[in-house]
Amino acid sequence: MFTILNGDNPFQRKIPYILLTNGGGVAEHDRCKKLSTQLGIPINPQQYCQAHTILKKFSNEYSDKNVLVMGGKLDAVRQVAQGYGYHKAYTTLDVLVWNPSVWPFHTLSDAEKATTQAVDFSKTPISAIFVYHDPRNWALDIQVACDVIQSEGIIGGPYVPLDKQKKPVDLIFCNPDLIWKADFDRPRIGQGGFKVAFQAVFKALTGAEYPHVQYGKPSTETYRYASEVLQGWIHTLYGPGNDAPHLYMVGDNPESDIAGANAAKWSSILVNTGVYDPTQGSPTHLPTHYAEDVEVAVKWAIEQHLCTQPNVKSVTTQFM
Amino acid sequence: MFTILNGDNPFQRKIPYILLTNGGGVAEHDRCKKLSTQLGIPINPQQYCQAHTILKKFSNEYSDKNVLVMGGKLDAVRQVAQGYGYHKAYTTLDVLVWNPSVWPFHTLSDAEKATTQAVDFSKTPISAIFVYHDPRNWALDIQVACDVIQSEGIIGGPYVPLDKQKKPVDLIFCNPDLIWKADFDRPRIGQGGFKVAFQAVFKALTGAEYPHVQYGKPSTETYRYASEVLQGWIHTLYGPGNDAPHLYMVGDNPESDIAGANAAKWSSILVNTGVYDPTQGSPTHLPTHYAEDVEVAVKWAIEQHLCTQPNVKSVTTQFM
């Protein structure tokens, strides 16, 4: 399929593409290195957009603000955040090292301790909470998020009613998926489940859910960002001066891939090899086109596009 | 205060009492041993009622059924359950050892592994889930609870719609407290928070919350059980033939201690030394009487009772 995109097609044209995923938890560079080996073709980090890649956009705004980053193994997402230019990114394990009584039901392991930074959170107002990936300790992360939000950023500080807060804490989730397909027979609860759990507990404590920003497929922000990434990649490949590309999304998940592509006015192609099962009836969101698998989808998009608009550079965006 | 109950009062009467708490996670025997040392007076396990002590009542029903027990450190609550006569009690760590892909975001530590039992859960239908104490891994426990309930007990088995299930899995929580007073400046999220999180995720997955049983203060079942425990203790102390005692509840928490006592038609005394703060206005549930602290409360109850009903054996039930 990648060889087709790389020019092995009847039009002998290279089709710029990116990979767009709701996964994450490691730096794009590291993930692409692994992917390139697995797929046997080079995948450039400029072609790769995971759930939290969009946070690069806001690195100026948060570069010197104290933020909490949640999810992933140990402090892996802190390293991702630092790579994006968030210089004061802290983890809930840092919070626990500072004051173990914040969450008395977890004792830090040596491996966890080794990743922590010494921070006095009583003097470190947190501006934002970014949920990069699935939190490993839901209870700790929900507790700390509730602490930070209720006290305007100072963990353990006096509570300030939400309607009286001068600088409410920003809360950003990167992947809305309630479930995802893992190795187990039945789908597993995803980061969307963590969000549901957090909001329910926060509501029980305060009476209301907390306003938040949601990125990841199918959010429009993520599709808009992905189209910028793709144009950047075209620019890298061919230099400036290219028209806005026509975009195709190939995906297996009607609720995220197809819904998002349709809302962003991309063409959408639904395949049968993942979440969507054609024997279970119509998908919840109708695609522009159906295809057996990704290869068939890519072939269809190329023919469709280059036969009807032979002079326009065409682009396929590919799901992960 | 305990010396007053033990006879050092103007009436020179021993007043039978029990301790009633929403805490738990260890066997009554062990907890009482520690308490006796801390308080400097012997506390008999027959006088001690924690959130999950009521589960002793149902040990015949579940003695040979497969049940999951959640909460507490490692397999401590399995040991409590076995002490109650639940012979086939399993933990979510057992589930993870059986199949690590059930929850891919947690790798068992050696200490955790050492507490596990080898069970083939694909052939072990679970009849009930008992949440004894605050789960240490919310995500794992919510995932496994959703798996068990949706598939009529077989983890990884096909889902059966709830209205078509022949033997729905019983779900029992032992402590409803949303928050509790720990060492940290602000109250911490309790087992009630775990229940809220579970039900929200379950609803997101299935469209409805799951019917469950709730024990612990202020549930009427727990107050009824506590009065049985107290009568048993009176029986132990004085032999058979005593009338039903008049019951006093001394507590600091209007929502649990006072609400439950009032609903059970016990006399209730609210003290100022814990959750309830008289400077914050009226309590959410009005007690029979207010007192500065537990000692004052106990003295008042003794005087009140023995002066008005000198021939009736009087009893104070004491919060923890």
Side-chain angles (χ1 to χ4, degrees), chain A residues 20-28 30-31 34 48-53 70-73 76-77 80 84 131-136 174-175 177 180 191 216 320, chain B residues 105:
Chain A
L20 182 61
T21 171
N22 273 353
V26 293
E28 288 74 11
D30 296 334
R31 187 79 180 93
K34 207 169 164 184
Y48 190 68
C49 205
Q50 39 190 0
H52 46 70
T53 308
M70 294 184 174
K73 283 187 189 173
V77 302
V80 175
Y84 291 175
V131 185
Y132 272 66
H133 197 238
D134 301 65
R136 295 311 199 253
C174 291
N175 170 7
D177 292 347
W180 60 292
Q191 193 190 126
M320 281 290 304
Chain B
F105 292 138

Side-chain angles (χ1 to χ4, degrees), chain A:
Chain A
M1 190 272 294
F2 289 103
T3 57
I4 299 171
L5 288 169
N6 283 336
D8 183 15
N9 55 60
F11 307 91
Q12 294 183 300
R13 291 276 281 273
K14 285 197 179 190
I15 316 293
Y17 64 93
I18 64 166
L19 307 179
L20 182 61
T21 171
N22 273 353
V26 293
E28 288 74 11
H29 179 83
D30 296 334
R31 187 79 180 93
C32 287
K33 213 168 156 185
K34 207 169 164 184
L35 258 182
S36 299
T37 309
Q38 288 169 331
L39 299 173
I41 49 131
I43 302 286
N44 192 300
Q46 280 188 275
Q47 291 177 275
Y48 190 68
C49 205
Q50 39 190 0
H52 46 70
T53 308
I54 193 171
L55 299 182
K56 284 181 182 173
K57 264 188 100 153
F58 311 104
S59 58
N60 278 343
E61 189 181 338
Y62 291 104
S63 64
D64 286 312
K65 287 186 179 162
N66 304 305
V67 304
L68 274 178
V69 294
M70 294 184 174
K73 283 187 189 173
L74 300 168
D75 72 339
V77 302
R78 185 216 306 272
Q79 291 173 33
V80 175
Q82 287 174 340
Y84 291 175
Y86 293 68
H87 301 304
K88 295 180 177 173
Y90 304 115
T91 70
T92 51
L93 302 181
D94 297 341
V95 175
L96 216 48
V97 148
W98 162 68
N99 188 340
S101 68
V102 167
W103 189 242
F105 292 137
H106 183 73
T107 305
L108 289 168
S109 69
D110 290 340
E112 286 173 332
K113 253 183 226 157
T115 71
T116 60
Q117 292 184 358
V119 183
D120 180 353
F121 285 99
S122 72
K123 294 172 183 157
T124 307
I126 302 294
S127 296
I129 299 170
F130 293 94
V131 185
Y132 272 66
H133 197 238
D134 301 65
R136 295 311 199 253
N137 188 330
W138 281 25
L140 168 66
D141 285 11
I142 289 174
Q143 177 67 76
V144 173
C146 290
D147 285 333
V148 167
I149 290 170
Q150 289 183 94
S151 61
E152 240 177 336
I154 294 290
I155 300 167
Y159 291 162
V160 183
L162 295 186
D163 57 359
K164 298 226 164 61
Q165 294 193 357
K166 285 175 200 153
K167 281 193 172 184
V169 174
D170 298 333
L171 175 62
I172 299 98
F173 294 91
C174 291
N175 170 7
D177 292 347
L178 181 64
I179 51 171
W180 60 292
K181 183 76 197 88
D183 289 339
F184 195 62
D185 283 348
R186 305 278 150 195
R188 301 294 80 193
I189 297 168
Q191 193 190 126
F194 172 76
K195 183 177 74 178
V196 163
F198 161 76
Q199 289 288 17
V201 172
F202 189 81
K203 189 173 183 180
L205 292 174
T206 67
E209 292 198 354
Y210 193 67
H212 67 269
V213 172
Q214 179 68 67
Y215 294 126
K217 296 182 286 182
S219 77
T220 303
E221 291 78 3
T222 285
Y223 279 79
R224 194 177 301 134
Y225 181 73
S227 76
E228 289 171 19
V229 169
L230 191 44
Q231 290 188 56
W233 181 231
I234 294 171
H235 187 109
T236 298
L237 292 176
Y238 303 113
N242 284 284
D243 295 335
H246 184 93
L247 294 151
Y248 288 84
M249 173 77 183
V250 183
D252 69 320
N253 188 333
E255 312 255 355
S256 60
D257 301 323
I258 305 306
N262 291 349
K265 310 224 180 295
W266 300 12
S267 297
S268 57
I269 311 174
L270 181 58
V271 298
N272 301 343
T273 46
V275 168
Y276 171 62
D277 176 356
T279 66
Q280 299 296 307
S282 280
T284 47
H285 295 267
L286 298 178
T288 316
H289 186 70
Y290 293 87
E292 267 306 291
D293 58 27
V294 179
E295 185 167 328
V296 173
V298 166
K299 279 181 181 165
W300 179 83
I302 292 173
E303 279 180 30
Q304 173 79 5
H305 199 78
L306 290 182
C307 289
T308 57
Q309 302 170 51
N311 297 320
V312 178
K313 206 170 282 284
S314 139
V315 178
T316 302
T317 299
Q318 159 66 19
F319 82 101
M320 281 290 304

Side-chain angles (χ1 to χ4, degrees), chain B:
Chain B
M1 192 273 294
F2 289 103
T3 58
I4 299 171
L5 288 170
N6 284 337
D8 182 14
N9 57 59
F11 307 92
Q12 294 184 297
R13 293 275 283 273
K14 285 198 179 189
I15 317 293
Y17 63 93
I18 63 166
L19 306 178
L20 182 61
T21 171
N22 273 353
V26 293
E28 288 74 12
H29 178 83
D30 296 332
R31 187 79 181 93
C32 287
K33 214 168 155 184
K34 208 170 163 183
L35 258 181
S36 300
T37 309
Q38 288 169 333
L39 299 172
I41 50 132
I43 303 286
N44 191 299
Q46 280 187 275
Q47 291 178 275
Y48 190 70
C49 206
Q50 36 190 3
H52 46 70
T53 309
I54 194 171
L55 300 181
K56 284 180 182 173
K57 267 188 97 152
F58 311 104
S59 57
N60 278 344
E61 190 181 336
Y62 291 103
S63 64
D64 286 312
K65 286 185 178 163
N66 305 306
V67 304
L68 274 178
V69 295
M70 293 184 175
K73 283 186 187 171
L74 299 169
D75 72 339
V77 302
R78 186 217 305 272
Q79 290 172 33
V80 176
Q82 286 173 341
Y84 292 174
Y86 293 67
H87 301 305
K88 295 180 177 171
Y90 304 115
T91 71
T92 51
L93 301 181
D94 297 342
V95 175
L96 216 48
V97 148
W98 163 67
N99 188 340
S101 67
V102 167
W103 190 242
F105 292 138
H106 184 73
T107 305
L108 289 167
S109 69
D110 290 341
E112 287 174 329
K113 254 183 224 155
T115 71
T116 59
Q117 293 184 357
V119 183
D120 180 353
F121 286 99
S122 71
K123 293 171 184 157
T124 307
I126 303 294
S127 295
I129 299 169
F130 293 93
V131 185
Y132 271 65
H133 196 239
D134 301 66
R136 296 311 200 251
N137 188 331
W138 282 25
L140 168 66
D141 285 10
I142 288 174
Q143 177 67 75
V144 173
C146 290
D147 285 332
V148 167
I149 290 169
Q150 288 180 272
S151 60
E152 242 178 337
I154 293 292
I155 300 167
Y159 291 162
V160 183
L162 295 185
D163 57 359
K164 299 227 164 61
Q165 293 193 356
K166 284 174 202 156
K167 282 194 172 184
V169 173
D170 298 334
L171 175 63
I172 299 98
F173 294 91
C174 290
N175 171 7
D177 291 347
L178 182 63
I179 53 173
W180 61 292
K181 183 75 199 91
D183 291 337
F184 195 61
D185 283 347
R186 305 278 149 193
R188 302 293 81 194
I189 297 167
Q191 192 190 127
F194 172 76
K195 183 177 74 178
V196 164
F198 161 76
Q199 289 289 17
V201 172
F202 189 81
K203 188 172 183 180
L205 291 175
T206 67
E209 292 197 356
Y210 193 67
H212 67 269
V213 172
Q214 179 67 67
Y215 294 126
K217 294 183 286 183
S219 78
T220 303
E221 291 78 4
T222 284
Y223 279 78
R224 193 179 300 132
Y225 181 71
S227 77
E228 289 170 20
V229 169
L230 191 43
Q231 291 188 58
W233 180 232
I234 294 172
H235 187 109
T236 298
L237 291 176
Y238 303 113
N242 285 283
D243 294 335
H246 184 92
L247 295 152
Y248 288 84
M249 173 77 183
V250 183
D252 69 319
N253 188 334
E255 313 255 356
S256 59
D257 301 323
I258 306 305
N262 291 349
K265 311 227 180 291
W266 299 11
S267 297
S268 57
I269 311 174
L270 180 59
V271 298
N272 301 343
T273 46
V275 168
Y276 171 61
D277 176 357
T279 67
Q280 299 296 306
S282 281
T284 47
H285 294 268
L286 298 177
T288 314
H289 186 68
Y290 293 87
E292 268 306 294
D293 58 29
V294 179
E295 186 168 324
V296 173
V298 166
K299 280 181 179 163
W300 179 83
I302 291 173
E303 280 180 29
Q304 172 78 5
H305 199 77
L306 288 182
C307 291
T308 55
Q309 304 171 53
N311 297 319
V312 177
K313 204 170 282 287
S314 139
V315 178
T316 300
T317 299
Q318 160 64 22
F319 81 100
M320 282 290 302

